[in-house]
Amino acid sequence: MKLFLIPIVFLFTASNLFAQDIAPPDTSKHIAKQDTINPNMGDVKGQLQQIKSDKIKLHSDSIGPDSVGNQPKKSSKVDTVMQNKYGDLLKNDSAYNKKYPMWIPFVEGIGDNMLLSLVDRKILKYSWAMVDGTTWKNNLNAGFPWSSHWDWDQTRFGNDFMGHPYFGNLYYNDARSNGYNFWASAPYALIGSYEWKICGENVTPERNSLIATTVDGIVLGEILYRISSNVLDDRTYGTERFFRELLAAMIDPMRGFNRLIQGKTSRHTNKEVYQKEPLNITLYAGVHSVNDRTNAILSGPTNAMINAQFDYGNPFEIRSRVPFDFFKFRIETDIGEGRKIVDNINGYGVLFGKNVQHGNVALLEGIFLNYDYWDNPIFELSTIALGPGVFSKLPIGKNSNLYTNLQIMVVPFGGTSTGPISDTSQLRDFNFCYGAEAKFETSLSLGDVATIGVAYYYFALRCVNSVGQDEPAYGSLGNNSLGILRPKITLQVYKDLSIGFEYFLYAETHTDNGYPNYSVAQTEQKIFLQFYFEDPQRRGHYN
């Protein structure tokens, strides 16, 4: 029982240290006035349209550069402490987003686990979900996660590195949607995951599930929370309001649930009450082909794909940085042969950062948190990574910019295949690992006409544990090095519609003393139509 109390004590301590107590707004500051609506004037929809139009005129990146060419002119009506340069709140308005007692998200986390357990036991009838007091006692007696009584699980790759993070996001957003900030919400992901490992399964608790659910769940949870904030608008009415609430709940289910019980779904305000940043959305639809070992063009099967990328915030806005006020999140699918539908997920966000200006070059320097997930016919790879990075923007013409970013990170935990993988296995065909990774991305934006870019990712990983049930019979430990090169070009067809081509080169080498080396190099081509929905206030194809 003492062991069970440890995360609870941590939760209460963290909540007191990092709780989001926001002071009432200082009305003496210059706050953008065009945000509020006047109910006495009627036609709320018309007022909101005018507000949006005025904000674009006053705060848009396209107004024109200042003397250094990167920072848009800033209206004197915008206060640098309360609002970003676009006139949006830097923090949720505390008068409309109060912090609820800490026991509420704790109980909601228990409810999440009870509902999941009910589905697993009564509907899906999984044998490992048949739990009782005896299994709880046995799991508690396993001790701490780093003890020898915890294990590494044998479930398949997608379950470990995509399914677990999704549930971690639910635990995290139990707290985030109850008024807690990033740091105060993070412990709830750990506690929810720990509760499940002890009470939700009758097998030996697995440490890898605890790690991935917690850390990847925090990354995914904050991204989904912020995207849902951009959808919500408590000033709206009728059909528009209904679909905003529905979409936000689909993006962030726990926030949707809490808004319902908190009465926020039917609440109407006369001003914006949520923190928002500019959000550019790119949708891709097309086909791709993973070539066979000859790497001849189109030598492999051709499948359909539907992809999406979200670019949130402006990395080059000079401001005080908070976690994930700038992030990129990209998901790619593979629709066709085989059961693997999600091809890869990549996301990173700033944790700590500082903006600087060197001549015409704008920079964001900071510490970034990354989540990578690759599950294709060639290899399986997922990492949690943390480390320094720098983003830059160099104007090279009136409407052209060169964007680059470089990140060098430590990988405290991950998973990687060490040989040929199976498309049908329901058991583990990969190994757990740690190591380092580096990312380099650069793109040349030629106005709205074209973008030319290239990215290179490198992973150096050390495998750490026993062989998975479907891993190769030998050589599963040792070192893995993986490189991914992806040049890309897009050409405008009409307005926001472009046609694009992307080429991938995957190279993997696995070495283990005493065993033959395993190496593979394969290519992939993607051709697609791209729909780019650019926030009218923030310009730039910097990813």
Side-chain angles (χ1 to χ4, degrees):
M1 182 59 68
K2 290 182 179 179
L3 180 61
F4 182 68
L5 292 175
I6 289 175
I8 300 178
V9 173
F10 175 54
L11 166 65
F12 278 71
T13 304
S15 297
N16 289 327
L17 286 174
F18 302 116
Q20 190 173 3
D21 293 318
I22 305 174
D26 182 356
T27 55
S28 66
K29 298 181 183 295
H30 296 289
I31 306 300
K33 297 179 180 179
Q34 74 276 6
D35 182 47
T36 58
I37 61 175
N38 185 349
N40 297 324
M41 294 178 61
D43 189 18
V44 172
K45 187 175 181 179
Q47 291 186 58
L48 289 174
Q49 290 176 341
Q50 188 61 47
I51 287 170
K52 182 177 180 180
S53 176
D54 291 343
K55 283 185 64 181
I56 293 172
K57 292 178 181 178
L58 285 171
H59 312 305
S60 172
D61 284 0
S62 60
I63 294 173
D66 63 11
S67 58
V68 296
N70 279 299
Q71 286 296 309
K73 294 178 180 178
K74 188 163 187 172
S75 169
S76 62
K77 296 181 179 181
V78 174
D79 178 71
T80 58
V81 176
M82 302 298 298
Q83 296 169 317
N84 63 17
K85 70 183 181 186
Y86 305 103
D88 296 316
L89 295 175
L90 291 176
K91 296 180 179 179
N92 288 340
D93 190 323
S94 59
Y96 297 89
N97 298 276
K98 72 174 185 178
K99 184 182 69 175
Y100 290 84
M102 62 185 68
W103 62 264
I104 293 180
F106 178 74
V107 170
E108 288 183 354
I110 295 176
D112 295 338
N113 286 331
M114 290 178 64
L115 180 60
L116 177 60
S117 180
L118 184 64
V119 172
D120 288 341
R121 293 176 63 186
K122 301 299 184 181
I123 300 177
L124 301 177
K125 299 185 183 302
Y126 290 135
S127 60
W128 49 260
M130 305 304 170
V131 297
D132 53 30
T134 301
T135 63
W136 298 350
K137 180 181 178 180
N138 291 339
N139 287 342
L140 277 172
N141 289 336
F144 289 100
W146 54 83
S147 75
S148 61
H149 298 291
W150 280 61
D151 202 356
W152 303 95
D153 74 19
Q154 292 291 337
T155 56
R156 62 187 180 89
F157 183 77
N159 182 70
D160 274 348
F161 292 104
M162 185 172 61
H164 287 155
Y166 183 79
F167 280 96
N169 137 73
L170 300 180
Y171 306 136
Y172 174 88
N173 273 302
D174 288 333
R176 195 70 169 93
S177 58
N178 271 292
Y180 293 85
N181 66 11
F182 175 87
W183 299 108
S185 300
Y188 287 89
L190 172 62
I191 292 177
S193 178
Y194 181 81
E195 288 173 353
W196 178 258
K197 290 289 97 182
I198 300 301
C199 301
E201 301 173 352
N202 59 24
V203 296
T204 303
E206 304 106 352
R207 58 179 66 87
N208 57 283
S209 300
L210 187 70
I211 297 170
T213 304
T214 300
V215 183
D216 291 344
I218 291 169
V219 175
L220 183 60
E222 182 65 13
I223 287 174
L224 296 182
Y225 178 86
R226 285 180 173 268
I227 292 176
S228 68
S229 286
N230 274 41
V231 172
L232 293 169
D233 190 342
D234 288 6
R235 299 169 296 179
T236 57
Y237 287 79
T239 303
E240 178 183 353
R241 179 62 177 272
F242 171 80
F243 282 107
R244 283 182 179 271
E245 296 289 342
L246 179 62
L247 179 58
M250 293 172 62
I251 295 170
D252 188 346
M254 293 315 303
R255 188 176 195 180
F257 171 77
N258 279 316
R259 285 182 63 80
L260 188 63
I261 65 176
Q262 293 163 0
K264 293 179 180 177
T265 56
S266 57
R267 179 184 66 183
H268 296 283
T269 64
N270 68 340
K271 62 179 182 179
E272 183 60 86
V273 297
Y274 302 115
Q275 176 188 0
K276 295 184 178 181
E277 299 292 339
L279 176 65
N280 290 351
I281 301 174
T282 310
L283 301 179
Y284 311 77
V287 295
H288 73 116
S289 176
V290 178
N291 301 319
D292 62 24
R293 293 299 181 90
T294 68
N295 285 321
I297 298 295
L298 301 179
S299 57
T302 298
N303 292 343
M305 65 177 190
I306 300 175
N307 307 332
Q309 179 170 310
F310 301 87
D311 295 291
Y312 178 92
N314 186 342
F316 309 113
E317 178 186 1
I318 296 177
R319 57 184 286 181
S320 297
R321 291 287 167 182
V322 296
F324 283 77
D325 61 19
F326 160 64
F327 69 75
K328 182 184 89 168
F329 182 68
R330 176 168 172 158
I331 180 169
E332 300 190 358
T333 64
D334 181 0
I335 304 171
E337 297 182 8
R339 66 171 173 81
K340 296 186 176 185
I341 297 176
V342 179
D343 187 85
N344 71 80
I345 303 173
N346 304 110
Y348 56 71
V350 63
L351 283 181
F352 309 96
K354 180 180 180 181
N355 290 95
V356 295
Q357 191 84 33
H358 294 293
N360 284 339
V361 180
L363 298 172
L364 169 60
E365 303 166 345
I367 303 296
F368 294 82
L369 184 60
N370 279 246
Y371 164 55
D372 285 277
Y373 175 90
W374 298 81
D375 188 13
N376 58 39
I378 306 170
F379 66 91
E380 296 168 333
L381 171 68
S382 184
T383 60
I384 298 165
L386 176 70
V390 57
F391 287 69
S392 70
K393 172 186 174 184
L394 173 65
I396 59 175
K398 184 177 180 181
N399 296 309
S400 300
N401 297 283
L402 179 65
Y403 301 95
T404 61
N405 79 76
L406 174 66
Q407 302 178 63
I408 301 175
M409 295 158 287
V410 173
V411 176
F413 180 71
T416 178
S417 56
T418 58
I421 60 176
S422 169
D423 188 51
T424 59
S425 172
Q426 295 297 322
L427 299 172
R428 175 153 67 92
D429 58 354
F430 63 94
N431 215 309
F432 299 106
C433 60
Y434 67 90
E437 70 178 72
K439 291 183 177 180
F440 174 76
E441 297 175 325
T442 183
S443 62
L444 175 62
S445 176
L446 301 174
D448 295 327
V449 177
T451 59
I452 304 171
V454 63
Y456 181 70
Y457 310 142
Y458 181 75
F459 303 84
L461 305 169
R462 174 70 179 177
C463 300
V464 296
N465 74 294
S466 59
V467 176
Q469 291 186 21
D470 273 359
E471 280 187 289
Y474 59 86
S476 63
L477 295 176
N479 299 312
N480 240 29
S481 63
L482 298 100
I484 303 172
L485 178 68
R486 50 189 303 183
K488 173 183 174 182
I489 183 170
T490 65
L491 298 172
Q492 184 185 45
V493 176
Y494 177 74
K495 292 186 177 180
D496 297 326
L497 176 65
S498 300
I499 188 170
F501 177 78
E502 193 167 16
Y503 184 88
F504 284 69
L505 171 62
Y506 306 101
E508 176 185 6
T509 299
H510 180 74
T511 60
D512 192 1
N513 290 336
Y515 299 101
N517 292 346
Y518 170 78
S519 295
V520 60
Q522 281 185 256
T523 57
E524 177 182 7
Q525 294 80 42
K526 300 184 179 184
I527 185 168
F528 51 87
L529 288 176
Q530 172 181 293
F531 299 87
Y532 181 57
F533 301 97
E534 184 177 68
D535 190 300
Q537 292 183 113
R538 200 223 74 181
R539 300 184 62 81
H541 297 256
Y542 56 76
N543 282 316

PDB file of all heavy atoms in Angstrom, residues 27 89 93 158-159 166 179 350 357 385 474 541:
ATOM      1  N   THR A  27      -5.994  45.598 -16.245  1.00  0.00           N
ATOM      2  CA  THR A  27      -6.717  46.357 -17.271  1.00  0.00           C
ATOM      3  C   THR A  27      -6.009  47.639 -17.656  1.00  0.00           C
ATOM      4  O   THR A  27      -6.407  48.307 -18.603  1.00  0.00           O
ATOM      5  CB  THR A  27      -8.129  46.697 -16.765  1.00  0.00           C
ATOM      6  OG1 THR A  27      -8.039  47.378 -15.509  1.00  0.00           O
ATOM      7  CG2 THR A  27      -8.944  45.428 -16.569  1.00  0.00           C
ATOM      8  N   LEU A  89      -4.683  35.576 -26.564  1.00  0.00           N
ATOM      9  CA  LEU A  89      -4.249  35.399 -25.186  1.00  0.00           C
ATOM     10  C   LEU A  89      -3.050  34.455 -25.104  1.00  0.00           C
ATOM     11  O   LEU A  89      -2.995  33.435 -25.782  1.00  0.00           O
ATOM     12  CB  LEU A  89      -5.389  34.835 -24.338  1.00  0.00           C
ATOM     13  CG  LEU A  89      -6.618  35.725 -24.144  1.00  0.00           C
ATOM     14  CD1 LEU A  89      -7.700  34.959 -23.382  1.00  0.00           C
ATOM     15  CD2 LEU A  89      -6.255  37.003 -23.393  1.00  0.00           C
ATOM     16  N   ASP A  93      -7.943  32.545 -20.019  1.00  0.00           N
ATOM     17  CA  ASP A  93      -8.504  33.518 -19.090  1.00  0.00           C
ATOM     18  C   ASP A  93      -8.950  32.776 -17.828  1.00  0.00           C
ATOM     19  O   ASP A  93      -9.877  31.949 -17.861  1.00  0.00           O
ATOM     20  CB  ASP A  93      -9.690  34.229 -19.749  1.00  0.00           C
ATOM     21  CG  ASP A  93     -10.174  35.424 -18.943  1.00  0.00           C
ATOM     22  OD1 ASP A  93     -10.166  35.342 -17.706  1.00  0.00           O
ATOM     23  OD2 ASP A  93     -10.578  36.428 -19.556  1.00  0.00           O
ATOM     24  N   GLY A 158       2.653  -1.492 -32.571  1.00  0.00           N
ATOM     25  CA  GLY A 158       1.652  -0.434 -32.563  1.00  0.00           C
ATOM     26  C   GLY A 158       0.976  -0.281 -31.224  1.00  0.00           C
ATOM     27  O   GLY A 158       0.644   0.841 -30.797  1.00  0.00           O
ATOM     28  N   ASN A 159       0.768  -1.377 -30.529  1.00  0.00           N
ATOM     29  CA  ASN A 159       0.148  -1.317 -29.208  1.00  0.00           C
ATOM     30  C   ASN A 159       1.043  -0.598 -28.212  1.00  0.00           C
ATOM     31  O   ASN A 159       0.579   0.240 -27.421  1.00  0.00           O
ATOM     32  CB  ASN A 159      -0.156  -2.728 -28.712  1.00  0.00           C
ATOM     33  CG  ASN A 159      -0.851  -2.746 -27.364  1.00  0.00           C
ATOM     34  OD1 ASN A 159      -2.004  -2.369 -27.247  1.00  0.00           O
ATOM     35  ND2 ASN A 159      -0.140  -3.174 -26.342  1.00  0.00           N
ATOM     36  N   TYR A 166      -1.759   7.063 -26.577  1.00  0.00           N
ATOM     37  CA  TYR A 166      -3.094   7.654 -26.677  1.00  0.00           C
ATOM     38  C   TYR A 166      -3.786   7.649 -25.316  1.00  0.00           C
ATOM     39  O   TYR A 166      -4.421   8.644 -24.930  1.00  0.00           O
ATOM     40  CB  TYR A 166      -3.953   6.926 -27.705  1.00  0.00           C
ATOM     41  CG  TYR A 166      -5.303   7.597 -27.855  1.00  0.00           C
ATOM     42  CD1 TYR A 166      -5.431   8.756 -28.627  1.00  0.00           C
ATOM     43  CD2 TYR A 166      -6.427   7.108 -27.194  1.00  0.00           C
ATOM     44  CE1 TYR A 166      -6.647   9.404 -28.730  1.00  0.00           C
ATOM     45  CE2 TYR A 166      -7.653   7.751 -27.303  1.00  0.00           C
ATOM     46  CZ  TYR A 166      -7.756   8.897 -28.072  1.00  0.00           C
ATOM     47  OH  TYR A 166      -8.960   9.546 -28.161  1.00  0.00           O
ATOM     48  N   GLY A 179      -8.040  22.836 -15.614  1.00  0.00           N
ATOM     49  CA  GLY A 179      -7.409  24.103 -15.260  1.00  0.00           C
ATOM     50  C   GLY A 179      -5.953  24.042 -14.888  1.00  0.00           C
ATOM     51  O   GLY A 179      -5.393  25.056 -14.452  1.00  0.00           O
ATOM     52  N   VAL A 350       8.562  22.829 -28.357  1.00  0.00           N
ATOM     53  CA  VAL A 350       9.546  23.506 -27.536  1.00  0.00           C
ATOM     54  C   VAL A 350       9.162  23.379 -26.063  1.00  0.00           C
ATOM     55  O   VAL A 350       7.990  23.489 -25.699  1.00  0.00           O
ATOM     56  CB  VAL A 350       9.668  24.992 -27.940  1.00  0.00           C
ATOM     57  CG1 VAL A 350       8.368  25.756 -27.707  1.00  0.00           C
ATOM     58  CG2 VAL A 350      10.837  25.668 -27.229  1.00  0.00           C
ATOM     59  N   GLN A 357      17.759  37.644 -32.623  1.00  0.00           N
ATOM     60  CA  GLN A 357      17.843  38.164 -33.988  1.00  0.00           C
ATOM     61  C   GLN A 357      19.289  38.525 -34.279  1.00  0.00           C
ATOM     62  O   GLN A 357      19.912  39.289 -33.534  1.00  0.00           O
ATOM     63  CB  GLN A 357      16.956  39.406 -34.133  1.00  0.00           C
ATOM     64  CG  GLN A 357      16.752  39.867 -35.553  1.00  0.00           C
ATOM     65  CD  GLN A 357      15.627  39.123 -36.259  1.00  0.00           C
ATOM     66  OE1 GLN A 357      14.655  38.735 -35.642  1.00  0.00           O
ATOM     67  NE2 GLN A 357      15.772  38.940 -37.550  1.00  0.00           N
ATOM     68  N   ALA A 385      12.626  11.573 -27.299  1.00  0.00           N
ATOM     69  CA  ALA A 385      13.912  12.270 -27.401  1.00  0.00           C
ATOM     70  C   ALA A 385      13.814  13.665 -26.809  1.00  0.00           C
ATOM     71  O   ALA A 385      12.798  14.344 -26.948  1.00  0.00           O
ATOM     72  CB  ALA A 385      14.366  12.345 -28.859  1.00  0.00           C
ATOM     73  N   TYR A 474      18.826 -14.682 -33.517  1.00  0.00           N
ATOM     74  CA  TYR A 474      20.151 -14.230 -33.080  1.00  0.00           C
ATOM     75  C   TYR A 474      20.332 -12.764 -33.449  1.00  0.00           C
ATOM     76  O   TYR A 474      19.648 -12.226 -34.334  1.00  0.00           O
ATOM     77  CB  TYR A 474      21.260 -15.066 -33.722  1.00  0.00           C
ATOM     78  CG  TYR A 474      21.254 -15.028 -35.230  1.00  0.00           C
ATOM     79  CD1 TYR A 474      21.903 -14.017 -35.934  1.00  0.00           C
ATOM     80  CD2 TYR A 474      20.594 -16.012 -35.964  1.00  0.00           C
ATOM     81  CE1 TYR A 474      21.887 -13.979 -37.316  1.00  0.00           C
ATOM     82  CE2 TYR A 474      20.575 -15.989 -37.351  1.00  0.00           C
ATOM     83  CZ  TYR A 474      21.232 -14.968 -38.018  1.00  0.00           C
ATOM     84  OH  TYR A 474      21.214 -14.939 -39.383  1.00  0.00           O
ATOM     85  N   HIS A 541       5.983  28.607 -44.972  1.00  0.00           N
ATOM     86  CA  HIS A 541       6.073  27.145 -45.071  1.00  0.00           C
ATOM     87  C   HIS A 541       7.402  26.714 -44.441  1.00  0.00           C
ATOM     88  O   HIS A 541       8.292  26.229 -45.122  1.00  0.00           O
ATOM     89  CB  HIS A 541       6.057  26.699 -46.536  1.00  0.00           C
ATOM     90  CG  HIS A 541       4.811  27.026 -47.288  1.00  0.00           C
ATOM     91  ND1 HIS A 541       3.854  26.086 -47.594  1.00  0.00           N
ATOM     92  CD2 HIS A 541       4.354  28.199 -47.808  1.00  0.00           C
ATOM     93  CE1 HIS A 541       2.872  26.656 -48.287  1.00  0.00           C
ATOM     94  NE2 HIS A 541       3.154  27.931 -48.419  1.00  0.00           N
TER      95      HIS A 541
END
